[in-house]
Amino acid sequence: MFTAPSNNARASMNEDASLYERIGGESTVRKLVDTLYERVMADEVLAPFFEHSSVEGIRRMQREFLAAALGGPIVYAGKTLREAHSGRGITREHFSRFIDHLMAALKAHDLSDQDAYDVISRLNTSVDAVVGDTTNG
């Protein structure tokens, strides 16, 4: 006979799940990245960074990166963040603007506040590599 797990058991299962699994896995990552890049490409400050790039290629790499960063079963095979962003003139303000768009995408897809915070926290660890700051790592 099957019985529903207790609240404590459900909480424990949720704690054991990766952030990738908690937010809904591949389908949610795909939707988040699509929403994110719709916003980024409409942003007059950020869009110029992508003028000479394949947006679909960037979306694919971002899905892969985000899935790996959130503990998914994907292995990110792209350039290092530092290599991919080096010499592009990306500042902390640009990074912050990108993260603001990500937060809006997270909210648009009804992620819990805690999951949205956890996603942002994971990506904020990349700021130095993206902006090319070598003083912090």
Side-chain angles (χ1 to χ4, degrees):
M1 173 166 81
F2 175 78
T3 57
S6 68
N7 286 340
N8 288 341
R10 279 194 296 270
S12 177
M13 286 188 299
N14 196 35
E15 289 171 8
D16 291 342
S18 70
L19 183 52
Y20 176 83
E21 292 166 330
R22 285 187 358 229
I23 68 167
E26 180 184 359
S27 66
T28 300
V29 167
R30 179 174 294 280
K31 291 173 194 173
L32 286 172
V33 170
D34 288 347
T35 301
L36 170 63
Y37 278 92
E38 286 170 13
R39 294 182 58 84
V40 167
M41 297 309 294
D43 183 310
E44 63 188 28
V45 174
L46 297 180
F49 287 107
F50 302 96
E51 283 179 341
H52 303 290
S53 302
S54 159
V55 176
E56 187 47 46
I58 290 168
R59 285 179 189 215
R60 182 179 38 77
M61 292 306 292
Q62 186 67 48
R63 286 190 297 265
E64 190 177 292
F65 172 77
L66 188 58
L70 301 181
I74 311 292
V75 175
Y76 175 67
K79 296 177 182 178
T80 67
L81 290 176
R82 195 171 303 281
E83 289 170 337
H85 299 92
S86 178
R88 298 184 50 92
I90 300 170
T91 65
R92 288 184 182 276
E93 290 78 20
H94 295 126
F95 186 87
S96 178
R97 204 170 174 104
F98 182 88
I99 292 296
D100 288 345
H101 287 303
L102 176 58
M103 180 57 87
L106 294 166
K107 288 182 178 185
H109 291 283
D110 297 322
L111 268 67
S112 72
D113 289 345
Q114 185 62 56
D115 286 345
Y117 172 80
D118 290 347
V119 169
I120 297 297
S121 293
R122 295 268 177 102
L123 295 190
N124 275 339
T125 64
S126 328
V127 64
D128 291 338
V130 172
V131 303
D133 187 343
T134 57
T135 60
N136 293 321

